[in-house]
Every structure is written in structure tokens, then in C-alpha cells.
Amino acid sequence: MKRGGPFAAVAALALLGGAPPQASPDKEFEAQVRPLLTSYCVACHGGAKPKARLDLSASLDPARWLEVLKQVKTRAMPPDDAKKPLPDGDREKLTLSIDAAMDRLDERAPRDPGRVTLRRLNRAEYNNTIRDLTGLDLRPADDFPADDVGEGFDTVGDALSIPPLLLDKCVDAAERVLDKAMVASGPVELLEKRIEAESISKEKPQNGEIELKQDQELQVTVAVPVEGRYELRVRAREEKSPDHVAVVAVKVDGVETALIRVPTEAGTYGVTFALQAGDRKIAVRHTPPKAYDAKKDVIPDTRLFLDWFEIAGPERSLSHRRIFFDEDPRKVLERFATRAFRRPLAAGELDRIVALCDGARKRGQPPAAAVRLSLWSILVSPHFLFRVERDSGDRDEHGSVRLSDWELASRLSYFLWSTLPDAPLLDLAARGRLRDPEVLREQARRMLADPRAQALVDNFTGQWLGLRKLEQALPDREMFPPFTEAARRAMIDEAETFFAHLMREDRSVLELLSADYAFVNEPLARIYGIKGISGDAMRRVPLSDPNRGGVITMAGILTLTSHPTRTSAVKRGKWILDEILGAPPPPPPPNVPELNEATKNRPDSKTLTLRQRLEIHRADPACFGCHKAMDVLGLGLENFDAIGRWRDKDGAQKIDVSGTLPTGESFSSPGGLKKVLMGYKDDFARTLAEKMFVYALGRPVERADRREVKRVVAEMKKNDYRFSALIESLVTSYPFRFRRSAGVK
């Protein structure tokens, strides 16, 4: 594999913004690059009328040089029919020299962290923030209009407007949240009881834990003060296997009411359920997972260690007491507003909030109702609905604004958890510690180990891989009977479980391309042809078939990149270029016919294979440049049908997946294609880093970010491409810790 790779340049559309134009690079560039350009390029891209209006005999700004770099690396230029082909040795010399010259320009240029548009909380962030403010998982934003997306993510500030309908919904949501979170007459008597496992078990404790064997249960009688929803939490862990979870059944008066999944990480895991008033017998039981259908030969031998379990409620009263922690309304409102605004209140801000409460009291409102008015004003405030980052006088030598510790706390928490900062983050912010990069690294590690990091899996993975679109996928059910609603859900769960596994275990992100294992359940195993799997629970299985494994062969991705009745090599190839190699092809030129339209009038149209149809389509000179790489990549996955099942034939035609990329690498199977893609590991790492940059920062990647993206990739490479290296290098990056001043364009 040649150094740099043909897809290593950042896509031009992502690089045209950022730093202002600069002159062409330095003397070293002129000595190394100019002769090659003169020899191979200037004949077309020079003179009075240069092709594509690109004159390579003159000075160019950096954005145009990056476009040249991309075109040469991807072998789009010089074209295959050029009078003077560019030899591989000179191509490598040209690309490396341009790349090095751009690096030197980046080093000399003032650093620019970019500027993020004021960001509204998206629906996931709103729901999670309300949950952590009140203690209630109400999900009011599920009724909001769908968030717009920018650069593929709903975290981008430019896309998160607040139209009148959404504003009305936010006002209504504040009312509904307070209806559920408060009790008008004050909270009823609470039930708060913790039971140490060793106190009611005959098992011998070890480090405060007892082993609760399968089918063994612990039971206590509790006095439930009033009918309502209660929460039961267990402090426990599963020890036997990192690939499975133990299941704790919660029983009320002998009836199984709820299930709690306990993974290998020791933690507190809970569930809420309804209880009637009176003395209730509450039990926790280590039960065989329902997903295994109680077939003893396939039940994992889970080992459950239990420290304690507790029950608390009713839920509404707990939330009320969380808000009204003190009898002084001023203290109540100060704490609620500080947490809701994710920062200390400014001078006079609390007085204005309290004034609403005082005015309501003067009009005869009861104390709780008066405070409620002020709470409502907090929940409809722009300081709650938007993540506000202010300009300040704290600037570095480049004139960039250093984020305050409170703003860093919010960036970190909404990046990794999609919610407001927790107590440890706020404590560090109050002490001015978060601006220390090593503290940011420590907090990132802590937060990734927390169950709330599942939000990163749900919200980043679903959008990067396009899994949210799978909800609307409609494969023909008659042609593809295994595609059921359970299979659709399993396809989404497979990708999310895989990504969560990489994150929790801090594995190499390259396993997204090369994994020799998968996470499947019964509906998915049926599609993959894996025997001996029953039930709906996802579990890790080894793969002996080299053609399976990694995201490009996941059924969900293969379904997304297909038509309802057939596969699409174009969609699949474009997906690899976009999401894996970070080299998206340009939009198709106008008036180019669809694939079937281009061949429908041929007498042999019904017997043409997909490969033959694509060859005819590529014969159009307007299509060839993009399709020569895209089609080869997509055809490499033709052994998988439109829902990801393996096949050797398409109808009566034997499938040929062999191909040779424009760069010369050949393969003859999906497994071979995976090996070729592994040759571009740095391109994939860069692509993943860029996607994570957009998601975390809430803005597109700009030209000025090139240096930081390369630094992140270098950190990943140095640390065996581990997931933690990606996150830690990102949160300590210059764009994450600084912002461009409002006065700088």
C-alpha cells in the first residue's frame, strides 16, 4: 500500500471553509511539485483557458491545493486517457509533496478553533436534561417536530432552529413536566428502603457481596405508603462472561413484574414499576434470560454478585423533593436554575427569577404554585433551551476565546452523555480544573465507563451509520420473508451493541472493519445462517467465515444500501466512500438516466447482470470518473442480497464480486474487499475522527481543522487505534477547548 492512500485527502466540500486564502506554498513546494505539475498537468490546466478553470501554472489558495491533492490521490486526475499518464512513483512524490507543503502552511497559519452557532438542545438532549433535572424519564421532546440535520448529525448548530411550532411545544412541555414533577399539596410519605444482600441471605459475603445463584431469590416485606410508580435498584455485577448479562427478575407478591439486566461492570441498575399501597412482598431473583427460551444447553452460566437492592418512591414525590430540597424558595430556584442553565447565575438573574414567585405570592397563589411559575420561566428560558457560549476577555495569543470551565463541562457532557453535567463535572468547573487537558482526559475516561455513555452509542452511531433511516426501510416482504419487525430491530441493535462493546472494552476502532465476531440474536442469526441461536437477546458469536464481520457486512447496512427489491452496488459503493474512506463522490451530473433506464431498450435487458448494467452505465464519459471506484466497491458486496443474506447467484446468474480498484488493489470476495479496506486504516481513522468532530463540536469540519484531525489520527495510531485515544485526543483538541471570537469571520 502506498503511503497516504488514494482516499486520504479530506473531502473538498468539508475543507472550503475556515482560514482565509493564502499564497501557494513555499520554495520547497516549488522545487518538488512545480516540475511535476508542468510535466503532467499544465497542458490541460494552464494557458488562456485552463480546464475546470484551474490554472496550475499560477498561485492557488490552500483549498484549491487540497482539491488537487484529492484528485491526484483518488486517481481521478490525470484521467485514464491522458496523453501523458502519471507514473505511480511520480504520483506518490506529487501527493506527498503537496501534503507536506500544506502541513507547513498549517503550522505557520494562526490557529483557528472555528465558531459554533448557538445550539438548541435537540430532542434527545432535551429529554435527557429533563430526566436529570427532575429524576423522571418523561421524554416530553418525543412530541416535538423532528430535528433538522446538518453534516449528517442533529447536533449541528446551524440546523437547530426553533420555529414557532417548536416554541409552542417547548412552552407546553414545561407545563407537562412540572405537572408530573410536582405534587400540588406537597409530597406524600416516601418509601426509601435499602436491603443489604448479606443481611437476608445465607450465602457467605465476599467484599460485601453475595453470589445469587440462578433461580435463587431474596425477599423482603415492605410497607408501600401510597399507590404509584416506584423504582427498584440493585448494586450488582455479572462475573462469568463479558459477552452476556445476568438477568434479575423483580417479583411483587410472587408475580414477576420487571427485569433488570446486569452487565459485567459493577454498578447500580434499576427499573420502575407500579405498586399498590399496603404490605407488599418484594423479591429479586437471578433468573435465566428469557431470550434463551429456557433451553438449558444454550443458557450462559451467568454468575451474579449482589451487594444490595433498594426501593424508593412514589416517583412523583421523589421528584418533588428533589426540586424542593429546602423551604426557602430562593434556594430552591437558585439550585434549579443553576443546574438548568449549566452555569452559575449572573448578577441580578436570580432576583428576576424570584420576583416572579414573589409576585404570584402577592396575588394570593399558594407557595408551591408560586414557585412553579418561576420554575416554568426557567424551563422556557433561552439559557435552558440553548447551549450558550459567551465571548470573554480570556483569549490566547491567536485571539481565540478560551471556553470557561462551565462551558467545557457542558461540551463534554452533551458530547458523551447528551445531557447536562453531573456533580463531579460541576465541582471541577467551580474549581477551575477542567481547562487542564489531563483533567479532561480523566473525565472522559470516567464518563465513557458510565452507563450514561450509552447516549453516545445511540445518537452518534445511529446517525453516522444511517441506522435511524432503517426505521423507514421497506424491503419487499414477499421476496425477503426473514425481514420482520423483529429483524429490523435486531439490525439496529447489532450495530449499536457492537459499537458499545468497542467503547466499553476500549478496543481498536479498526474492528469496525475487520472484526471476526458479531452480535446476533435469533432473527438476525436466521438471516446470517448461524445455527443454535434462539431468543431476542444479542450475544457475541465468533465468525469463522472471513466474508462476515465488521460494519460493511452488517445486515442493517446492507439493507440500507439496497432497493426494496434488489441490491444496489452504487449505493453500497457510495456508502463505503462516504462513511469509511471519507472520499464522497460529487453529485451526479444532470440528465443522467437511472441504471435501469439506461439499459431498458436493449434486447438483452432482462438477462443482463448488475455488473453488466453498471459497465454500460459507466460507458458514459460523464459517469465514468465517479463510478470507476464506486461500482467496484459496491460489487464486492453482491454476494449479500438486499437484506444481507449470503447468495452465490442472482437469479440464474452466478455472482462475480471480483474487482480491481483504480489504485491497483484486487479482491475476489467480500473478505478480500475487507482486507483491501484495512490497507486504508488511517483514512478510516480520519473519517471517523471527522465524523466525531462534527458530532462533538456541532459544526462542519473546516480547512483550519486539518492540523487537529491529523493530530487525532496520529494519537489513535500511536495507541493502537483504541476508542479512548479518539475521544481523549478530541476533547483535548484546540477546537474543543476554544472558539473563534464573534468579531472574527
Side-chain angles (χ1 to χ4, degrees), residues 3 8 16 22 47 82 109 124 160 180 257 270 281 312 367 394 419-420 425 448 461 481 488 507 558 597 639 658 694:
R3 290 177 58 195
L16 295 179
Q22 300 161 341
L160 291 170
K180 295 290 186 182
T257 303
K281 293 180 180 178
D394 188 1
T419 189
L420 49 75
L425 275 178
L448 287 174
T461 312
R488 184 199 305 273
R507 302 179 72 89
L558 294 166
E597 289 294 316
N639 280 126
S658 62
V694 174

Side-chain angles (χ1 to χ4, degrees), residues 528 547-555 557-558 637 640 644 670 674:
Y528 288 170
N547 293 310
R548 286 283 185 193
V551 292
I552 69 167
T553 65
M554 286 183 179
I557 303 303
L558 294 166
L637 298 173
F640 302 108
K674 286 168 53 181

Side-chain angles (χ1 to χ4, degrees), residues 36 40 72 75 77-78 84-88 90-91 94:
L36 293 171
Y40 297 106
V72 175
R75 295 180 179 248
M77 288 290 159
K84 188 174 182 181
L86 180 61
D88 286 346
D90 283 350
R91 184 183 300 273
L94 180 59

